[in-house]
Amino acid sequence: MRKLLLLMALLLPLSIVAQEVENIESEPTQIQTTQVRYIGESYSGREYTPTLYRHDLRVGLGATGLSLLFYLDTTFEELFPPKNETMSDILAHYRFDYGELRLTPVISLEYSYAVNDWFAIGVKGSYVSMYRNRTHAHTGQRHGRVSLTVINAMVNARFQWLNRDIVKMYSSLGLGAMTAFGLVKESFFFYDATWVGLSVGEKVYGYFEFGGGASGVARAGMGVRF
């Protein structure tokens, strides 16, 4: 009898272990996986998809870049005094004094269509003007102004490399035609580039860009997505 009780005491733990193993094998296997993060997803373990607004309209002001400023300034310098001037041109020219060069900010307008969450294509235009007030050399009376105005129209591609609902960062490149009129009338090929751009806001947002070309070296403005 004592040997039987001893044998049962030894077998009881083994039966408990076997029962636990059977319970584990009968339960569905739960494998813990590590989520791979793609563009537009977060590290939080749940998928994050930023809202995709197809249309983007923005307006901004910019500080004139060196390339455009050089063109405007040299054009003025070449025409004061004008080339191949006759005696009557000289008399007419020096009858007036020309004041300090004044430059408007670059005003830009852009529309883009989002092909997907990282690439958009659109059109972009800008306007800038440089002028000098003109006064009579002897009487000091104002006689209007002489000006040089430049406008451009370009196709613009934007590449978005940080995409969140509120904060986005991007770069862009535009190519197209620029037309000058006033002192001279000519058209030529020009570019516009955004090296680094930042927008803050969702449907209505503000933006700041650093770049070069037609829109200026530093730009800021407002936009709306829909």
Short mmCIF file of all heavy atoms in Angstrom, two decimals, residues 97-148:
data_model
loop_
_atom_site.label_atom_id
_atom_site.label_comp_id
_atom_site.label_asym_id
_atom_site.label_seq_id
_atom_site.Cartn_x
_atom_site.Cartn_y
_atom_site.Cartn_z
N ASP A 97 17.09 113.17 -64.54
CA ASP A 97 17.81 112.42 -63.52
C ASP A 97 17.00 111.17 -63.17
O ASP A 97 15.77 111.22 -63.14
CB ASP A 97 18.01 113.27 -62.25
CG ASP A 97 19.01 114.39 -62.46
OD1 ASP A 97 19.92 114.22 -63.30
OD2 ASP A 97 18.87 115.44 -61.80
N TYR A 98 17.71 110.09 -62.90
CA TYR A 98 17.05 108.83 -62.59
C TYR A 98 17.38 108.43 -61.16
O TYR A 98 18.55 108.37 -60.76
CB TYR A 98 17.50 107.74 -63.56
CG TYR A 98 17.08 108.06 -64.99
CD1 TYR A 98 17.90 108.83 -65.81
CD2 TYR A 98 15.87 107.62 -65.49
CE1 TYR A 98 17.52 109.14 -67.11
CE2 TYR A 98 15.47 107.93 -66.79
CZ TYR A 98 16.30 108.69 -67.59
OH TYR A 98 15.91 109.00 -68.86
N GLY A 99 16.34 108.21 -60.40
CA GLY A 99 16.50 107.93 -58.98
C GLY A 99 17.03 106.53 -58.68
O GLY A 99 17.46 105.79 -59.56
N GLU A 100 16.96 106.19 -57.43
CA GLU A 100 17.48 104.90 -56.95
C GLU A 100 16.66 103.74 -57.51
O GLU A 100 15.45 103.83 -57.68
CB GLU A 100 17.41 104.88 -55.42
CG GLU A 100 17.95 103.62 -54.79
CD GLU A 100 17.81 103.65 -53.28
OE1 GLU A 100 17.34 104.68 -52.75
OE2 GLU A 100 18.14 102.63 -52.63
N LEU A 101 17.35 102.66 -57.79
CA LEU A 101 16.67 101.46 -58.25
C LEU A 101 15.78 100.90 -57.15
O LEU A 101 16.20 100.76 -56.01
CB LEU A 101 17.70 100.39 -58.66
CG LEU A 101 18.40 100.59 -60.01
CD1 LEU A 101 19.49 99.55 -60.17
CD2 LEU A 101 17.40 100.49 -61.14
N ARG A 102 14.55 100.57 -57.50
CA ARG A 102 13.62 99.98 -56.55
C ARG A 102 13.11 98.66 -57.12
O ARG A 102 12.85 98.56 -58.32
CB ARG A 102 12.46 100.93 -56.26
CG ARG A 102 12.92 102.25 -55.63
CD ARG A 102 11.73 103.13 -55.27
NE ARG A 102 12.17 104.39 -54.70
CZ ARG A 102 12.46 104.59 -53.42
NH1 ARG A 102 12.34 103.57 -52.57
NH2 ARG A 102 12.85 105.76 -52.97
N LEU A 103 12.96 97.70 -56.23
CA LEU A 103 12.61 96.35 -56.65
C LEU A 103 11.42 95.85 -55.86
O LEU A 103 11.39 95.96 -54.63
CB LEU A 103 13.81 95.42 -56.43
CG LEU A 103 13.67 93.97 -56.87
CD1 LEU A 103 13.58 93.88 -58.39
CD2 LEU A 103 14.85 93.16 -56.35
N THR A 104 10.43 95.32 -56.55
CA THR A 104 9.28 94.71 -55.87
C THR A 104 9.64 93.29 -55.44
O THR A 104 10.55 92.68 -56.01
CB THR A 104 8.06 94.65 -56.80
OG1 THR A 104 8.33 93.74 -57.87
CG2 THR A 104 7.73 96.03 -57.36
N PRO A 105 8.96 92.74 -54.43
CA PRO A 105 9.17 91.32 -54.14
C PRO A 105 8.64 90.46 -55.28
O PRO A 105 7.83 90.91 -56.09
CB PRO A 105 8.36 91.10 -52.85
CG PRO A 105 7.34 92.18 -52.86
CD PRO A 105 7.99 93.36 -53.52
N VAL A 106 9.12 89.24 -55.35
CA VAL A 106 8.61 88.29 -56.35
C VAL A 106 7.26 87.76 -55.87
O VAL A 106 7.15 87.20 -54.78
CB VAL A 106 9.59 87.12 -56.55
CG1 VAL A 106 9.06 86.19 -57.63
CG2 VAL A 106 10.97 87.63 -56.92
N ILE A 107 6.23 87.95 -56.67
CA ILE A 107 4.90 87.45 -56.37
C ILE A 107 4.68 86.17 -57.18
O ILE A 107 4.82 86.19 -58.41
CB ILE A 107 3.82 88.49 -56.71
CG1 ILE A 107 4.08 89.79 -55.95
CG2 ILE A 107 2.44 87.95 -56.38
CD1 ILE A 107 3.19 90.94 -56.37
N SER A 108 4.38 85.09 -56.52
CA SER A 108 4.24 83.81 -57.23
C SER A 108 2.88 83.19 -56.96
O SER A 108 2.29 83.36 -55.90
CB SER A 108 5.35 82.84 -56.80
OG SER A 108 5.28 82.56 -55.42
N LEU A 109 2.41 82.45 -57.95
CA LEU A 109 1.15 81.72 -57.88
C LEU A 109 1.38 80.33 -58.44
O LEU A 109 1.98 80.18 -59.51
CB LEU A 109 0.06 82.45 -58.66
CG LEU A 109 -1.33 81.81 -58.69
CD1 LEU A 109 -1.94 81.81 -57.29
CD2 LEU A 109 -2.24 82.56 -59.67
N GLU A 110 0.89 79.30 -57.72
CA GLU A 110 1.17 77.93 -58.13
C GLU A 110 -0.05 77.03 -57.92
O GLU A 110 -0.75 77.15 -56.92
CB GLU A 110 2.35 77.37 -57.32
CG GLU A 110 2.71 75.94 -57.65
CD GLU A 110 3.86 75.42 -56.80
OE1 GLU A 110 4.42 76.20 -56.02
OE2 GLU A 110 4.17 74.21 -56.92
N TYR A 111 -0.27 76.16 -58.90
CA TYR A 111 -1.28 75.11 -58.77
C TYR A 111 -0.61 73.78 -59.05
O TYR A 111 0.17 73.65 -60.01
CB TYR A 111 -2.44 75.30 -59.74
CG TYR A 111 -3.31 74.06 -59.85
CD1 TYR A 111 -4.24 73.77 -58.86
CD2 TYR A 111 -3.14 73.17 -60.90
CE1 TYR A 111 -5.01 72.61 -58.93
CE2 TYR A 111 -3.91 72.01 -60.98
CZ TYR A 111 -4.83 71.74 -59.99
OH TYR A 111 -5.58 70.59 -60.05
N SER A 112 -0.91 72.76 -58.24
CA SER A 112 -0.35 71.43 -58.48
C SER A 112 -1.40 70.36 -58.22
O SER A 112 -2.33 70.55 -57.44
CB SER A 112 0.88 71.19 -57.59
OG SER A 112 0.52 71.25 -56.23
N TYR A 113 -1.21 69.24 -58.90
CA TYR A 113 -2.09 68.09 -58.77
C TYR A 113 -1.27 66.92 -58.23
O TYR A 113 -0.22 66.57 -58.81
CB TYR A 113 -2.71 67.73 -60.12
CG TYR A 113 -3.56 66.47 -60.07
CD1 TYR A 113 -4.87 66.53 -59.63
CD2 TYR A 113 -3.04 65.24 -60.46
CE1 TYR A 113 -5.66 65.38 -59.57
CE2 TYR A 113 -3.82 64.09 -60.42
CZ TYR A 113 -5.12 64.17 -59.97
OH TYR A 113 -5.88 63.04 -59.90
N ALA A 114 -1.72 66.32 -57.13
CA ALA A 114 -1.00 65.22 -56.50
C ALA A 114 -1.28 63.91 -57.24
O ALA A 114 -2.41 63.41 -57.22
CB ALA A 114 -1.38 65.11 -55.03
N VAL A 115 -0.27 63.35 -57.89
CA VAL A 115 -0.40 62.06 -58.54
C VAL A 115 -0.50 60.95 -57.50
O VAL A 115 -1.28 60.02 -57.63
CB VAL A 115 0.78 61.82 -59.50
CG1 VAL A 115 0.68 60.45 -60.16
CG2 VAL A 115 0.84 62.93 -60.54
N ASN A 116 0.32 61.07 -56.45
CA ASN A 116 0.26 60.15 -55.31
C ASN A 116 0.73 60.92 -54.08
O ASN A 116 0.81 62.15 -54.11
CB ASN A 116 1.09 58.88 -55.56
CG ASN A 116 2.50 59.21 -56.04
OD1 ASN A 116 3.14 60.12 -55.50
ND2 ASN A 116 2.98 58.50 -57.03
N ASP A 117 1.06 60.21 -53.00
CA ASP A 117 1.39 60.91 -51.76
C ASP A 117 2.81 61.46 -51.72
O ASP A 117 3.20 62.09 -50.73
CB ASP A 117 1.15 60.00 -50.54
CG ASP A 117 2.02 58.75 -50.58
OD1 ASP A 117 2.73 58.54 -51.59
OD2 ASP A 117 1.99 57.98 -49.60
N TRP A 118 3.60 61.27 -52.79
CA TRP A 118 4.96 61.82 -52.79
C TRP A 118 5.31 62.63 -54.04
O TRP A 118 6.34 63.30 -54.08
CB TRP A 118 5.99 60.70 -52.63
CG TRP A 118 6.02 59.70 -53.76
CD1 TRP A 118 5.29 58.56 -53.84
CD2 TRP A 118 6.79 59.77 -54.95
NE1 TRP A 118 5.56 57.91 -55.02
CE2 TRP A 118 6.49 58.62 -55.73
CE3 TRP A 118 7.73 60.68 -55.45
CZ2 TRP A 118 7.08 58.37 -56.96
CZ3 TRP A 118 8.32 60.43 -56.69
CH2 TRP A 118 8.00 59.29 -57.42
N PHE A 119 4.45 62.64 -55.07
CA PHE A 119 4.77 63.35 -56.30
C PHE A 119 3.57 64.16 -56.78
O PHE A 119 2.44 63.67 -56.80
CB PHE A 119 5.17 62.36 -57.39
CG PHE A 119 5.47 63.01 -58.72
CD1 PHE A 119 6.61 63.76 -58.90
CD2 PHE A 119 4.58 62.87 -59.78
CE1 PHE A 119 6.88 64.37 -60.12
CE2 PHE A 119 4.84 63.47 -61.00
CZ PHE A 119 5.99 64.22 -61.17
N ALA A 120 3.84 65.43 -57.17
CA ALA A 120 2.80 66.31 -57.70
C ALA A 120 3.35 67.06 -58.90
O ALA A 120 4.53 67.41 -58.95
CB ALA A 120 2.33 67.29 -56.63
N ILE A 121 2.49 67.33 -59.86
CA ILE A 121 2.86 68.07 -61.07
C ILE A 121 1.90 69.24 -61.23
O ILE A 121 0.72 69.13 -60.88
CB ILE A 121 2.82 67.15 -62.31
CG1 ILE A 121 3.42 67.84 -63.53
CG2 ILE A 121 1.42 66.66 -62.58
CD1 ILE A 121 4.92 67.92 -63.50
N GLY A 122 2.41 70.38 -61.74
CA GLY A 122 1.54 71.54 -61.87
C GLY A 122 2.17 72.65 -62.67
O GLY A 122 3.16 72.46 -63.39
N VAL A 123 1.61 73.83 -62.54
CA VAL A 123 2.09 75.02 -63.23
C VAL A 123 2.37 76.11 -62.19
O VAL A 123 1.77 76.15 -61.12
CB VAL A 123 1.09 75.53 -64.27
CG1 VAL A 123 0.98 74.54 -65.43
CG2 VAL A 123 -0.28 75.76 -63.65
N LYS A 124 3.30 77.00 -62.56
CA LYS A 124 3.72 78.03 -61.63
C LYS A 124 4.06 79.30 -62.40
O LYS A 124 4.65 79.24 -63.48
CB LYS A 124 4.95 77.55 -60.84
CG LYS A 124 5.39 78.47 -59.72
CD LYS A 124 6.51 77.81 -58.94
CE LYS A 124 6.88 78.62 -57.73
NZ LYS A 124 7.96 77.95 -56.93
N GLY A 125 3.68 80.43 -61.85
CA GLY A 125 4.00 81.71 -62.46
C GLY A 125 4.49 82.70 -61.42
O GLY A 125 4.20 82.57 -60.23
N SER A 126 5.27 83.70 -61.87
CA SER A 126 5.75 84.72 -60.93
C SER A 126 5.88 86.07 -61.65
O SER A 126 5.92 86.13 -62.89
CB SER A 126 7.11 84.32 -60.33
OG SER A 126 8.12 84.33 -61.31
N TYR A 127 5.95 87.11 -60.83
CA TYR A 127 6.03 88.48 -61.33
C TYR A 127 7.01 89.26 -60.46
O TYR A 127 6.98 89.15 -59.23
CB TYR A 127 4.65 89.14 -61.28
CG TYR A 127 4.66 90.65 -61.37
CD1 TYR A 127 4.51 91.28 -62.60
CD2 TYR A 127 4.81 91.44 -60.23
CE1 TYR A 127 4.51 92.67 -62.70
CE2 TYR A 127 4.82 92.83 -60.31
CZ TYR A 127 4.67 93.43 -61.55
OH TYR A 127 4.68 94.80 -61.65
N VAL A 128 7.88 90.05 -61.10
CA VAL A 128 8.77 90.95 -60.36
C VAL A 128 9.05 92.16 -61.24
O VAL A 128 9.07 92.05 -62.48
CB VAL A 128 10.08 90.24 -59.97
CG1 VAL A 128 10.87 89.81 -61.21
CG2 VAL A 128 10.92 91.11 -59.04
N SER A 129 9.24 93.31 -60.63
CA SER A 129 9.49 94.53 -61.38
C SER A 129 10.57 95.37 -60.70
O SER A 129 10.64 95.43 -59.47
CB SER A 129 8.19 95.35 -61.51
OG SER A 129 8.41 96.53 -62.24
N MET A 130 11.40 96.00 -61.53
CA MET A 130 12.41 96.94 -61.06
C MET A 130 12.19 98.26 -61.78
O MET A 130 11.90 98.28 -62.97
CB MET A 130 13.81 96.39 -61.35
CG MET A 130 14.94 97.33 -60.95
SD MET A 130 16.56 96.62 -61.33
CE MET A 130 16.79 95.57 -59.91
N TYR A 131 12.31 99.36 -61.06
CA TYR A 131 12.04 100.65 -61.71
C TYR A 131 12.89 101.76 -61.09
O TYR A 131 13.45 101.62 -59.99
CB TYR A 131 10.56 101.01 -61.58
CG TYR A 131 10.08 101.19 -60.16
CD1 TYR A 131 10.07 102.47 -59.57
CD2 TYR A 131 9.61 100.12 -59.43
CE1 TYR A 131 9.64 102.63 -58.27
CE2 TYR A 131 9.16 100.28 -58.13
CZ TYR A 131 9.18 101.53 -57.56
OH TYR A 131 8.75 101.70 -56.26
N ARG A 132 12.97 102.87 -61.84
CA ARG A 132 13.61 104.10 -61.38
C ARG A 132 12.66 105.26 -61.64
O ARG A 132 12.12 105.39 -62.75
CB ARG A 132 14.92 104.36 -62.12
CG ARG A 132 16.12 103.57 -61.61
CD ARG A 132 17.32 103.87 -62.47
NE ARG A 132 18.55 103.40 -61.86
CZ ARG A 132 19.73 103.44 -62.46
NH1 ARG A 132 19.84 103.92 -63.70
NH2 ARG A 132 20.81 103.00 -61.85
N ASN A 133 12.47 106.11 -60.64
CA ASN A 133 11.69 107.33 -60.85
C ASN A 133 12.53 108.32 -61.66
O ASN A 133 13.75 108.42 -61.49
CB ASN A 133 11.30 107.95 -59.51
CG ASN A 133 10.27 107.11 -58.79
OD1 ASN A 133 9.38 106.52 -59.41
ND2 ASN A 133 10.39 107.04 -57.47
N ARG A 134 11.88 109.07 -62.54
CA ARG A 134 12.56 110.01 -63.44
C ARG A 134 12.11 111.44 -63.13
O ARG A 134 10.91 111.70 -63.04
CB ARG A 134 12.27 109.66 -64.89
CG ARG A 134 12.95 110.56 -65.90
CD ARG A 134 12.79 110.01 -67.30
NE ARG A 134 11.39 109.88 -67.69
CZ ARG A 134 10.98 109.34 -68.84
NH1 ARG A 134 11.87 108.85 -69.68
NH2 ARG A 134 9.70 109.27 -69.11
N THR A 135 13.05 112.34 -62.96
CA THR A 135 12.76 113.76 -62.69
C THR A 135 13.55 114.63 -63.66
O THR A 135 14.62 114.22 -64.16
CB THR A 135 13.12 114.15 -61.25
OG1 THR A 135 14.51 113.88 -61.02
CG2 THR A 135 12.28 113.37 -60.25
N HIS A 136 13.05 115.83 -63.92
CA HIS A 136 13.74 116.77 -64.82
C HIS A 136 15.01 117.27 -64.14
O HIS A 136 15.00 117.61 -62.95
CB HIS A 136 12.82 117.96 -65.16
CG HIS A 136 13.26 118.73 -66.34
ND1 HIS A 136 14.30 119.65 -66.29
CD2 HIS A 136 12.82 118.71 -67.64
CE1 HIS A 136 14.48 120.18 -67.49
NE2 HIS A 136 13.59 119.63 -68.33
N ALA A 137 16.11 117.28 -64.89
CA ALA A 137 17.41 117.61 -64.32
C ALA A 137 17.47 119.04 -63.80
O ALA A 137 18.23 119.33 -62.86
CB ALA A 137 18.51 117.38 -65.35
N HIS A 138 16.70 119.97 -64.39
CA HIS A 138 16.79 121.38 -63.99
C HIS A 138 15.65 121.79 -63.06
O HIS A 138 15.88 122.51 -62.08
CB HIS A 138 16.79 122.27 -65.25
CG HIS A 138 17.94 121.98 -66.16
ND1 HIS A 138 19.25 122.26 -65.83
CD2 HIS A 138 17.96 121.41 -67.40
CE1 HIS A 138 20.04 121.89 -66.83
NE2 HIS A 138 19.28 121.37 -67.79
N THR A 139 14.44 121.33 -63.33
CA THR A 139 13.31 121.77 -62.53
C THR A 139 13.01 120.81 -61.36
O THR A 139 12.33 121.21 -60.42
CB THR A 139 12.04 121.88 -63.41
OG1 THR A 139 11.69 120.57 -63.89
CG2 THR A 139 12.30 122.81 -64.59
N GLY A 140 13.48 119.58 -61.43
CA GLY A 140 13.19 118.60 -60.39
C GLY A 140 11.79 118.02 -60.48
O GLY A 140 11.38 117.24 -59.62
N GLN A 141 11.05 118.40 -61.52
CA GLN A 141 9.70 117.90 -61.69
C GLN A 141 9.73 116.44 -62.10
O GLN A 141 10.53 116.02 -62.93
CB GLN A 141 8.96 118.73 -62.74
CG GLN A 141 7.49 118.36 -62.91
CD GLN A 141 6.81 119.25 -63.94
OE1 GLN A 141 7.41 120.17 -64.48
NE2 GLN A 141 5.54 118.97 -64.20
N ARG A 142 8.84 115.66 -61.52
CA ARG A 142 8.80 114.23 -61.81
C ARG A 142 8.20 113.99 -63.19
O ARG A 142 7.18 114.56 -63.56
CB ARG A 142 7.99 113.49 -60.75
CG ARG A 142 7.95 111.98 -60.97
CD ARG A 142 7.26 111.26 -59.85
NE ARG A 142 7.15 109.83 -60.14
CZ ARG A 142 6.61 108.93 -59.32
NH1 ARG A 142 6.14 109.34 -58.14
NH2 ARG A 142 6.54 107.67 -59.67
N HIS A 143 8.86 113.11 -63.94
CA HIS A 143 8.41 112.73 -65.27
C HIS A 143 8.25 111.21 -65.35
O HIS A 143 8.88 110.54 -66.17
CB HIS A 143 9.40 113.22 -66.34
CG HIS A 143 9.26 114.67 -66.66
ND1 HIS A 143 8.65 115.14 -67.81
CD2 HIS A 143 9.65 115.77 -65.97
CE1 HIS A 143 8.67 116.46 -67.81
NE2 HIS A 143 9.28 116.87 -66.72
N GLY A 144 7.41 110.67 -64.47
CA GLY A 144 7.11 109.25 -64.52
C GLY A 144 8.27 108.38 -64.05
O GLY A 144 9.13 108.81 -63.27
N ARG A 145 8.34 107.19 -64.56
CA ARG A 145 9.38 106.24 -64.20
C ARG A 145 9.72 105.35 -65.38
O ARG A 145 8.94 105.21 -66.32
CB ARG A 145 8.95 105.38 -63.02
CG ARG A 145 7.77 104.48 -63.32
CD ARG A 145 7.43 103.54 -62.18
NE ARG A 145 7.15 104.25 -60.94
CZ ARG A 145 6.62 103.67 -59.86
NH1 ARG A 145 6.34 102.36 -59.89
NH2 ARG A 145 6.38 104.35 -58.76
N VAL A 146 10.90 104.79 -65.33
CA VAL A 146 11.29 103.76 -66.29
C VAL A 146 11.33 102.44 -65.54
O VAL A 146 11.76 102.38 -64.39
CB VAL A 146 12.65 104.08 -66.94
CG1 VAL A 146 12.53 105.26 -67.87
CG2 VAL A 146 13.72 104.33 -65.90
N SER A 147 10.89 101.38 -66.17
CA SER A 147 10.77 100.12 -65.45
C SER A 147 11.13 98.94 -66.33
O SER A 147 11.13 99.02 -67.57
CB SER A 147 9.35 99.95 -64.91
OG SER A 147 8.43 99.87 -65.98
N LEU A 148 11.40 97.85 -65.67
CA LEU A 148 11.63 96.56 -66.32
C LEU A 148 10.84 95.53 -65.52
O LEU A 148 11.06 95.34 -64.33
CB LEU A 148 13.12 96.20 -66.33
CG LEU A 148 13.46 94.85 -66.95
CD1 LEU A 148 13.13 94.85 -68.44
CD2 LEU A 148 14.93 94.52 -66.74
#
